[in-house]
Amino acid sequence: QVQLVESGGGLAQAGGSLRLSCAASGRTFSSYAMGWFRQAPGKERVFVSRINWSGGSIVYADSVKGRFTISRDNAKNTVYLQMNSLKPEDTAVYYCAAGGDLAIMGVYDYWGQGTQVIVSS
């Protein structure tokens, strides 16, 4: 069992930055791929980024490529999402998720409760 707790959300101006963190419980964190997703008001939850267990494989959605950076610290059981050059369309609830081999297909086993990000223009 893995519990995920996101933090770092808040209000930012367009062009600004925020850093999201996702702290995981459990001793098997390093074996999981980790993903970030977001859900804007009235829209479905969509993929943002994924990092494999070692950090050696990273994928971004086209909408955030070049602006967001995912990373992980397995010693701290934490995954991060550095968000730069924020845009109003980045406004959403951001969720982190942990998954096994099927994460590459978008299947995740555990989800956090989400953290709100609001970007003002």
Side-chain angles (χ1 to χ4, degrees), residues 23 69 78-79 89:
T69 302
T78 302
V79 62
E89 51 263 44

Side-chain angles (χ1 to χ4, degrees), residues 22-47:
C22 174
S25 64
R27 291 176 289 180
T28 59
F29 171 79
S30 61
S31 67
Y32 285 96
M34 299 297 297
W36 284 98
F37 292 76
R38 66 187 182 185
Q39 186 168 18
K43 297 187 177 181
E44 294 186 351
R45 186 162 58 189
V46 297
F47 170 80

Side-chain angles (χ1 to χ4, degrees), residues 51-93:
I51 186 168
N52 76 331
W53 68 274
S54 67
S57 176
I58 290 174
V59 179
Y60 296 102
D62 288 344
S63 60
V64 306
K65 201 172 294 183
R67 300 188 298 121
F68 290 11
T69 302
I70 191 171
S71 62
R72 67 188 296 161
D73 186 337
N74 287 340
K76 295 182 178 180
N77 281 12
T78 302
V79 62
Y80 305 97
L81 186 68
Q82 178 67 43
M83 306 187 295
N84 298 330
S85 302
L86 284 164
K87 303 176 181 180
E89 51 263 44
D90 294 319
T91 294
V93 177

